[in-house]
Amino acid sequence: MPLHGINATAWYTWPRFDSFERPGVYWPPFPPNRHMPEQKDFEEIHNLGFNAIRIGVEPALFIGLEGARLDLVERQILASVEAARNVGLVVIFDLHPNSKHKIYGQSALSAMDDGSAELNFLLAVKRASQLLVTLPSDKVILEIMNEPRIKCSGDEETRWENFLDKAITEIHSEAPQLPMMISGACASSVDGLMSLDPARWKSANLYFTFHFYDPFPFTHQSAPFTPWPEKYLTNLPWPPRGGADISQLESAAEDRIAALAPTDPVKSRENAHAVLQKYLSSGASAATLAQRLQLAADWADRNRIPRDHIFMGEFGVYHDSEKGIGATCEDRAAWVNDVRAEAERLGFSWSYFHLDGPFGIFSAKTGKPDGALLRALGFQSSGACQ
């Protein structure tokens, strides 16, 4: 059965670290004001139409905590996994490192040469396997690492595949029947997937995943966390239209630059204009999205991997309804529909990013799920923007 899931990475990621430069996790690891999942949350997700949930879990919890503290956190996480399963959701247990952490983050594998990062991650994989070993194998999948920040070529690709060898061996040792999910390097991109040599892993319980955010200027417009000029753009149309009023889009970019106050506003303005011009003239469309997704399908076919073992683990668009920035609701829904429909046509499973926040299905203004987005995801025949 194809999985149609939702990402939930705000619960068990971003614990309180001692520092991004040093090991150590504060106790308690999660801020007291953070909403932690309850049974009703999983019931609502299932009732919307989803049959899977990708729960992000910070691997540093398994590395930096020990004894009674580790036991307590593990019981809390396992209770959420059980609650999701009890309402009929398949759980993708996603080891989701904090990208900013110099020791625990995804970049550490390529940045460290002493092997300590690899040992850390393998310890997290081992403890996650031990936690999940008793669960039915048709209800949970362990994803080894979210978006590895390591190149998908040369020595770094070799390092990534060697790490996967060890991680898969560790999982088989602790939980022989536990389904696993792996991505390629290059931040789980399609390119990273195609760089993998899956012939080295023989397991019927192995799934392959990639993330899809093409074209990036559209999906990440206004996202303040990105270091690139896309964060200065807003209200970009989907698909891009050559006749769009560029003066309005440039004016909106000026407002974003003023709001974010970069150190070099002139250079930021030039870069934003260049990205905007390139996007509007790119010719991106549902057809170009299909061509990109077809690469993953062709890779699966060449390597004799069933397409239902290919999982589009993230796709989504930045849309902040409270601040009125990012893609419009209508354009976001159009892109999501194009990507979701093509992924389903190709036989892939998928998981939308995200449950809440600016990428989320729940409107920050109303607290209700966005009807247009649910329609774009194929869960209802009609629905209006929230």
Side-chain angles (χ1 to χ4, degrees):
M1 177 182 68
L3 299 180
H4 297 157
I6 185 73
N7 278 267
T9 61
W11 297 328
Y12 296 115
T13 60
W14 287 87
R16 299 187 292 184
F17 291 109
D18 179 54
S19 163
F20 284 148
E21 308 288 337
R22 299 191 301 271
V25 177
Y26 275 139
W27 186 262
F30 306 117
N33 61 344
R34 179 179 297 186
H35 171 75
M36 302 306 283
E38 302 174 11
Q39 182 72 34
K40 63 181 181 180
D41 295 311
F42 298 109
E43 291 172 353
E44 183 169 18
I45 289 167
H46 186 262
N47 290 339
L48 289 175
F50 296 101
N51 63 8
I53 183 169
R54 182 173 179 253
I55 299 178
V57 179
E58 168 60 63
L61 297 169
F62 298 112
I63 303 164
L65 298 176
E66 296 179 337
R69 290 181 173 181
L70 176 61
D71 290 342
L72 184 61
V73 169
E74 285 186 335
R75 287 199 301 272
Q76 183 181 8
I77 295 171
L78 189 59
S80 293
V81 174
E82 291 280 20
R85 287 183 50 251
N86 288 341
V87 302
L89 296 170
V90 174
V91 176
I92 296 90
F93 192 98
D94 158 38
L95 288 175
H96 198 105
N98 185 310
S99 60
K100 292 186 177 182
H101 205 288
K102 305 299 183 183
I103 297 173
Y104 300 138
Q106 305 100 313
S107 300
L109 279 178
S110 59
M112 293 184 179
D113 295 323
D114 61 0
S116 60
E118 182 176 286
L119 292 175
N120 278 337
F121 284 120
L122 289 175
L123 176 60
V125 168
K126 177 178 182 176
R127 288 181 167 169
S129 302
Q130 292 170 338
L131 184 66
L132 303 175
V133 65
T134 61
L135 301 181
S137 61
D138 63 337
K139 293 297 184 182
V140 64
I141 302 170
L142 175 57
E143 183 175 346
I144 291 174
M145 187 188 296
N146 175 71
E147 294 191 350
R149 307 297 171 88
I150 187 169
K151 293 179 181 178
C152 48
S153 61
D155 291 344
E156 291 202 18
E157 172 66 21
T158 300
R159 182 181 295 191
W160 175 241
E161 293 196 359
N162 288 342
F163 167 77
L164 289 175
D165 288 344
K166 296 172 184 177
I168 290 170
T169 298
E170 192 72 67
I171 295 169
H172 278 153
S173 174
E174 300 294 334
Q177 304 304 315
L178 181 63
M180 298 163 287
M181 185 175 289
I182 63 174
S183 78
C186 289
S188 301
S189 64
V190 173
D191 294 327
L193 179 71
M194 293 191 299
S195 296
L196 284 178
D197 175 18
R200 63 197 295 163
W201 305 298
K202 303 294 184 183
S203 175
N205 281 342
L206 187 58
Y207 294 80
F208 295 87
T209 185
F210 68 93
H211 296 175
F212 195 81
Y213 291 106
D214 293 352
F216 192 83
F218 177 76
T219 61
H220 282 68
Q221 57 183 299
S222 294
F225 56 82
T226 180
W228 299 293
E230 282 81 357
K231 64 184 173 184
Y232 303 127
L233 303 178
T234 190
N235 295 330
L236 298 189
W238 179 259
R241 295 180 282 275
D245 188 342
I246 193 170
S247 63
Q248 287 189 1
L249 296 173
E250 287 181 324
S251 176
E254 289 283 353
D255 292 341
R256 290 288 295 148
I257 290 170
L260 295 175
T263 55
D264 189 344
V266 174
K267 187 65 174 178
S268 298
R269 189 177 299 112
E270 292 173 355
N271 291 340
H273 178 77
V275 172
L276 175 59
Q277 288 276 34
K278 184 176 180 180
Y279 173 73
L280 292 177
S281 62
S282 66
S285 65
T288 63
L289 299 181
Q291 291 169 4
R292 186 75 173 150
L293 290 169
Q294 185 66 45
L295 295 175
D298 292 343
W299 176 87
D301 294 346
R302 283 196 308 273
N303 290 288
R304 299 182 179 180
I305 297 169
R307 290 196 187 177
D308 62 0
H309 278 226
I310 304 296
F311 185 67
M312 187 170 64
E314 290 186 16
F315 69 110
V317 180
Y318 192 91
H319 164 77
D320 190 328
S321 58
E322 278 194 307
K323 295 181 179 178
I325 57 175
T328 68
C329 173
E330 293 81 4
D331 283 324
R332 175 175 73 156
W335 182 92
V336 168
N337 179 75
D338 288 344
V339 174
R340 186 270 312 167
E342 183 61 19
E344 290 182 1
R345 189 190 71 80
L346 293 171
F348 300 160
S349 291
W350 53 258
S351 182
Y352 180 74
F353 192 90
H354 188 265
L355 180 64
D356 51 16
F359 283 88
I361 61 169
F362 282 90
S363 168
K365 291 173 65 176
T366 67
K368 298 178 180 179
D370 189 281
L373 191 51
L374 291 176
R375 173 169 46 82
L377 290 170
F379 292 142
Q380 54 192 45
S381 58
S382 61
C385 292
Q386 288 289 334

